[in-house]
């Protein structure tokens, strides 16, 4: 679907921008994925539904470098760590000043780019997220349509995979 493609393209741009900020500004930059229930769908599951670029500070809050990108209603990251390794390899945190008023404090998982452009974590691991339509994923596993985005932890190169 176009919503899935557009959202995956946005995640790719955010990863690229994070690495660019890290190297040009010589500081650590985080890509944060936020976890909450979809406010547009009653009784929806809690899932990773938004992403934002942040320059962390000593207390873990940091400066937001991008606006919050909320995935369109019904889309989320696959919560299975085999389908989204970033959920296992990333750093967990909680943000009190999350821009969605109804969800505070909001848990997140982040991938951090160092000033040299590498990901802060084991260089031998594969860092990826899978974006999908939740309703379709509940019915059929794997769902018919999804996009996985993988970031090379050393070069920062990005690949996308789609069935």
């Amino acid at each position: 679907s176009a919503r899935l493609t557009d959202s995956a393209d946005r995640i790719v741009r955010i990863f690229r921008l994070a690495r660019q900020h890290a190297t040009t500004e010589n500081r650590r930059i985080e890509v944060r994925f936020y976890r909450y229930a979809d406010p547009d769908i009653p009784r929806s599951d809690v899932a990773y539904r938004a992403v934002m670029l942040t320059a962390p500070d000593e207390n873990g809050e940091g400066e937001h470098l991008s606006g919050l990108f909320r995935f369109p209603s019904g889309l989320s990251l696959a919560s299975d760590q085999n389908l989204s390794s970033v959920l296992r390899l990333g750093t967990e945190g909680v943000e009190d000043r999350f821009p969605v008023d109804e969800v505070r404090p909001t848990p997140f998982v982040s991938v951090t780019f160092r000033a040299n452009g590498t990901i802060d974590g084991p260089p031998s691991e594969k860092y990826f997220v899978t974006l999908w339509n939740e309703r379709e994923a509940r019915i059929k596993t794997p769902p018919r349509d999804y996009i996985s985005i993988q970031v090379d932890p050393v070069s920062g190169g990005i690949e996308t995979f789609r069935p």
Side-chain angles (χ1 to χ4, degrees):
S1 85
R3 295 176 336 130
L4 189 63
T5 301
D6 292 346
S7 297
D9 288 347
R10 187 80 172 264
I11 293 170
V12 167
R13 286 195 306 271
I14 288 171
F15 273 124
R16 286 189 176 133
L17 191 57
R19 186 169 189 271
Q20 179 184 354
H21 272 289
T23 57
T24 59
E25 298 173 14
N26 196 32
R27 64 179 175 165
R28 298 169 69 85
I29 302 294
E30 291 181 351
V31 176
R32 292 183 178 179
F33 292 95
Y34 294 93
R35 188 171 178 258
Y36 57 94
D38 189 333
D40 299 328
I41 300 175
R43 297 182 307 280
S44 68
D45 294 334
V46 172
Y48 290 92
R49 302 179 183 284
V51 61
M52 187 179 341
L53 203 57
T54 303
D57 57 19
E58 300 77 40
N59 64 11
E61 289 293 327
E63 171 190 0
H64 294 161
L65 300 177
S66 71
L68 178 74
F69 173 62
R70 292 175 69 170
F71 307 146
S73 185
L75 297 184
S76 69
L77 296 187
S79 59
D80 183 330
Q81 294 179 0
N82 293 319
L83 300 175
S84 293
S85 69
V86 163
L87 305 183
R88 172 177 50 86
L89 298 169
T91 303
E92 293 183 1
V94 175
E95 187 163 332
D96 290 325
R97 48 190 189 99
F98 186 66
V100 176
D101 291 334
E102 64 270 16
V103 187
R104 287 188 187 168
T106 307
F108 66 83
V109 65
S110 66
V111 174
T112 303
F113 286 86
R114 299 180 185 118
N116 66 4
T118 63
I119 289 178
D120 187 9
S124 60
E125 291 283 356
K126 296 188 183 312
Y127 291 78
F128 56 91
V129 294
T130 299
L131 186 67
W132 63 14
N133 182 315
E134 295 174 286
R135 286 175 229 135
E136 187 179 307
R138 280 193 202 118
I139 297 166
K140 185 173 189 267
T141 304
R144 183 186 47 174
D145 197 16
Y146 62 89
I147 299 177
S148 293
I149 302 156
Q150 180 174 314
V151 183
D152 184 285
V154 178
S155 72
I158 298 174
E159 293 184 70
T160 59
F161 305 93
R162 187 171 199 170

